[in-house]
Amino acid sequence: MDKEKIYQLRGEATKLKPIINIGKNGVTDPVLEEIKKQVKANRLIKVKMLKTSAEGEDIKTSAEKLAEATKTTLIDVRGSTVVLYR
């Protein structure tokens, strides 16, 4: 994906509210299924991660694993909010 497309998607994402919250249980199978469903419906989603959900990892590493597990593209990580795109 080229940088121009990523910048465009980041701009679109600023208007979005987080659809999914990942809590202290971390990334579970039901959470992955819900993310896949939401990305299929909306193509661009925001996910809010609780800082303790990262299980000792930083949010960026967790976000990369999340993107890989859901076959999406990681667009942006700001604080504890992750933007995913299909």
Side-chain angles (χ1 to χ4, degrees):
M1 188 177 292
D2 61 344
K3 286 187 178 203
E4 200 170 292
K5 179 76 172 165
I6 289 173
Y7 289 136
Q8 177 193 350
L9 290 169
R10 279 185 185 167
E12 286 180 39
T14 59
K15 300 176 192 93
L16 296 176
K17 297 237 180 293
I19 294 178
I20 297 171
N21 290 308
I22 298 177
K24 65 182 179 211
N25 293 334
V27 180
T28 58
D29 287 339
V31 170
L32 290 175
E33 290 304 313
E34 185 61 27
I35 290 173
K36 288 177 187 175
K37 195 167 79 176
Q38 292 296 333
V39 167
K40 193 171 186 180
N42 302 308
R43 85 178 174 79
L44 184 69
I45 65 165
K46 264 188 183 174
V47 179
K48 183 94 170 152
M49 297 179 87
L50 194 67
K51 286 179 177 48
T52 57
S53 70
E55 298 162 6
E57 301 174 331
D58 63 333
I59 298 286
K60 181 128 175 86
T61 307
S62 294
E64 287 167 356
K65 287 182 181 175
L66 187 64
E68 191 178 310
T70 57
K71 295 178 179 63
T72 55
T73 305
L74 179 63
I75 299 298
D76 199 10
V77 178
R78 299 244 170 135
S80 58
T81 305
V82 177
V83 179
L84 298 172
Y85 175 74
R86 177 178 67 110

